[in-house]
Amino acid sequence: MRVSRLMLNTLRDVPAEADIISHQLLVRGGYVKRLTGGIYAYMPLLWKVLKKITSIVEEELSTKGCLQTLLPQLQPSEIWERSGRWKSYTKGEGIMFSLKDRQGKELGLGPTHEEVITQIISQTIHSYKQLPINIFQIQTKFRDEIRPRFGLMRSREFIMKDAYSFHANENDLQSTYSDMRNAYENIFTKCGLDFVCVDADSGAIGGAASQEFMVTAESGEDLILISSDSKYGANQEKAVSIIEEGKLLEPNKPSIIKTPNQKTIDELCNYNDFHPSQIVKVLAYLATCDDNKKYPVLVSIRGDQEINDIKLSNKISQELKQNVLDIRIISNEDMQKQGISNIPFGFIGPDLSDNLLAQSKAWEKKFIRIADNSAKDLKSFICGNNIKDEHKIFYNWNLINTVQMICDIRKAKPGDRCIHDKTQKLQECRGIEIGHIFQLGTKYSKSLNATFTNEKGVEDHFWMGCYGIGISRLAQAAVEQNHDDLGIIWPTSIAPFTVIIIIANIKNNDQKCLAEDIYQKLIQDRVDVLLDDRDERAGIKFKDADLIGIPWRIVAGREASSGLVELHNRKTKITELLDLNSVFKKLSEEFNTEKL
């Protein structure tokens, strides 16, 4: 390809709409063009990158016996209603674009395809003898992001690889899950990325287990906690750890103390010489579920710890067997709208009476009560007395006359000791999610009544796995991890071109002829090569080459008449003056190909 035919349009200035460096460089390098918020055109340079990523993915999955297909982007609402996700995706999270056709039927633009593939497999696979099946597609997906940002990182239209496996039993699912994890490690390694695999929350997809693959980068949206020995890693939404021991409150006679205007943990500790770890902090939440009911929730946790809203939401979903669409802390305004005016915020205890909810107009009339392990382990503690300006001291759970669900809803944090090894501590870094694998179990096969005949001749529900890679997101994540002050530094395996040839002076016949000879030789040997044949100053060509990030640069310049060229490595910044045979030999060694 010649630059004169490439429609290359680079920018020197940083675009105003781009917040992170990878987005800035993709716009400046002419890789993407913004149409509107969260919607981008993939220009020819980026399309070549995406095709190379796609080729790596397809090749690796084919070696695992996966079958490629293409599923409809438009999906009928009925199958999503059967799985219980239509409301949560269109009204709760609101991430699915939905519409009505001319017959009035509701449809959605697919952000994911669990329902579609489950229905298709249930109509196609009828016997355990046909299992396992692993089927994948690469296509455009859609999410109506509330705040699309960071270019292709959080866009409303994106390219994704999603795969779905179907099994006769859980052991077979786990085996394929392990194979797919290995496939993902191979894919991301071949793409030239530094990545980590961490435990993750399954979110709206659901399932028993899931892991995320993260590209480590300072601009990553996700906080990852990794053990110092690298044997454990998890997204903070999922991470578990051993809580540090608190300051013991010696048992004593339970009593009530006056605590005027001491609503916060800090105020309570400062006025009374308490330690936060001696206090049971109680927060009131409101959970909205897909049955359209609103459930008040009382959450107890040790005073020096934070609540993990994702863990809390999952616990409530499990208890109610409903999807939690929204969960938030109850405010005074919420109370007033319900006609409730006597909840003493700042002084709430775990035993706050359900009677206070009697006047509520739209809420359930009974609290869901949840206590974190950190609070339940306290033998003696301080907590609110449910009366303004009063707290209880030296209380224990035997004196709290309410039943609490006990679970882990605590937010793990850097410095916590690790579950697998108490001598190891969690460290934090930020990451960009590029892949996610799930063990779905029978969640979708049961809701959609997708069955097969097992070895005993009995109808059984499929066991399922789900495996996603953000193809367009991966491309930008690679830029976020591989750049410098001059521009992008593409990993060779996914670079739009492997080599760029620059003619320093297009009017110099020796330079032009030598560059053309090299160009034709590389094309003949199937090297993805770009020839900068523009009538521009050499400095402009060098800046553009650095900006768009081609791994190797060959410059036909002053020594062209002697048959010598400059070979420049974009990553190492090493430049060598070489004859053509040496250039071809070095490139052959780098590309691990046959001799050029």
Side-chain angles (χ1 to χ4, degrees), residues 298-300 350-351 369-371 376 397 400 402-406:
L298 275 188
V299 184
S300 300
D351 52 352
R369 299 175 192 269
I370 299 176
K376 198 62 178 176
W397 288 102
I400 301 296
T402 55
V403 176
Q404 311 281 326
M405 287 188 287
I406 313 302

Side-chain angles (χ1 to χ4, degrees), residues 156-199:
R156 295 195 287 172
E157 181 179 294
F158 54 95
I159 298 175
M160 181 177 174
K161 186 284 300 179
D162 49 330
Y164 305 92
S165 62
F166 293 80
H167 310 270
N169 54 63
E170 187 174 10
N171 287 339
D172 193 49
L173 164 59
Q174 291 173 347
S175 176
T176 294
Y177 182 85
S178 178
D179 286 344
M180 291 299 283
R181 171 174 171 157
N182 174 256
Y184 273 39
E185 290 171 345
N186 292 340
I187 287 168
F188 300 136
T189 298
K190 289 178 180 178
C191 287
L193 299 175
D194 289 328
F195 64 93
V196 293
C197 179
V198 299
D199 293 342

Side-chain angles (χ1 to χ4, degrees), residues 249-386:
L249 180 68
E250 294 292 344
N252 205 328
K253 182 179 180 181
S255 60
I256 308 300
I257 58 173
K258 295 294 183 179
T259 52
N261 299 317
Q262 298 168 33
K263 292 184 176 182
T264 69
I265 297 291
D266 286 343
E267 289 169 344
L268 192 61
C269 291
N270 291 337
Y271 276 97
N272 302 278
D273 197 26
F274 297 149
H275 191 272
S277 63
Q278 299 170 330
I279 300 169
V280 171
K281 176 170 58 178
V282 181
L283 297 175
Y285 281 82
L286 188 66
T288 304
C289 296
D290 56 10
D291 61 358
N292 289 324
K293 293 182 179 180
K294 297 182 183 296
Y295 298 86
V297 185
L298 275 188
V299 184
S300 300
I301 193 168
R302 206 172 83 180
D304 60 338
Q305 302 299 309
E306 297 295 327
I307 294 170
N308 184 321
D309 287 352
I310 300 297
K311 290 181 180 179
L312 175 61
S313 178
N314 289 340
K315 180 61 180 177
I316 295 169
S317 295
Q318 292 170 9
E319 185 66 21
L320 297 177
K321 295 181 173 54
Q322 299 272 356
N323 292 320
V324 174
L325 306 182
D326 179 64
I327 187 163
R328 56 187 174 84
I329 292 177
I330 295 173
S331 66
N332 274 315
E333 185 180 356
D334 294 326
M335 293 296 187
Q336 291 169 6
K337 288 180 180 179
Q338 297 301 313
I340 303 171
S341 59
N342 53 350
I343 292 189
F345 287 107
F347 305 92
I348 297 175
D351 52 352
L352 184 67
S353 175
D354 291 329
N355 294 336
L356 296 174
L357 299 173
Q359 301 303 315
S360 62
K361 301 171 183 177
W363 300 352
E364 292 298 293
K365 300 299 193 290
K366 188 174 182 180
F367 285 112
I368 297 172
R369 299 175 192 269
I370 299 176
D372 181 67
N373 295 322
S374 63
K376 198 62 178 176
D377 289 340
L378 294 177
K379 307 302 181 185
S380 177
F381 54 79
I382 303 142
C383 66
N385 191 39
N386 303 314

Side-chain angles (χ1 to χ4, degrees), residues 497-516:
F497 294 94
T498 308
V499 178
I500 181 168
I501 304 170
I502 291 179
I503 306 171
N505 181 1
I506 196 70
K507 296 180 175 61
N508 184 295
N509 194 56
D510 288 338
Q511 294 180 19
K512 188 175 180 180
C513 290
L514 183 60
E516 285 284 351

